Amino acid sequence: QVQLVESGGGLVQTGESLRLSCVASGSVSNINSMGWYRRSPDKGRELVGLMTRAGSTNYHDSVKGRFTVSRDNAKNAIYLQMGALKPEDTAVYICNCIVGRNVYWGQGIQVTVSS
């Protein structure tokens, strides 16, 4: 089992930045991909960005150039640096990791961007 704990969410204004963190604990010796998803009432759940253990990344088109995913494999952590935030980025952001064939999810953390 793997537990994921997110931190860093909150309320910001349009154009501001925010950094989310997620730390994995438990059976973390073989984590492959780690990533961030978000969930909102109008869009459902969508991938924001992910990074494999080798460092390859993938981003949702709407956040390219504004958001950056980074990992610290020694700490089993993943970060999401969000810049130039827009009201449409408002969502619950959820950390995710894949270990073997198992997918684990965090509880999620609210990010609200006011206009």
Side-chain angles (χ1 to χ4, degrees), residues 4-115:
L4 299 168
V5 178
E6 302 103 333
S7 62
L11 172 64
V12 296
Q13 295 186 339
T14 297
E16 292 185 341
S17 299
L18 201 61
R19 185 176 188 246
L20 304 183
S21 301
C22 173
V23 178
S25 61
S27 300
V28 296
S29 61
N30 197 27
I31 294 177
N32 185 3
S33 170
M34 295 188 77
W36 291 95
Y37 287 71
R38 64 187 180 188
R39 185 178 64 239
S40 60
D42 56 337
K43 299 178 183 177
R45 187 174 71 188
E46 59 184 11
L47 171 69
V48 177
L50 64 82
M51 180 180 284
T52 67
R53 190 172 186 86
S56 299
T57 57
N58 188 27
Y59 293 96
H60 192 279
D61 284 346
S62 68
V63 306
K64 288 180 180 177
R66 299 189 298 124
F67 291 10
T68 302
V69 171
S70 60
R71 277 179 69 170
D72 185 334
N73 291 329
K75 296 181 178 179
N76 299 307
I78 185 170
Y79 309 98
L80 180 66
Q81 180 67 47
M82 303 184 290
L85 282 161
K86 306 175 182 179
E88 50 264 45
D89 294 317
T90 294
V92 175
Y93 284 70
I94 309 163
C95 180
N96 155 284
C97 77
I98 298 175
V99 180
R101 297 180 178 181
N102 298 313
V103 181
Y104 297 94
W105 299 92
Q107 292 292 315
I109 192 164
Q110 180 70 42
V111 172
T112 303
V113 185
S114 64
S115 57

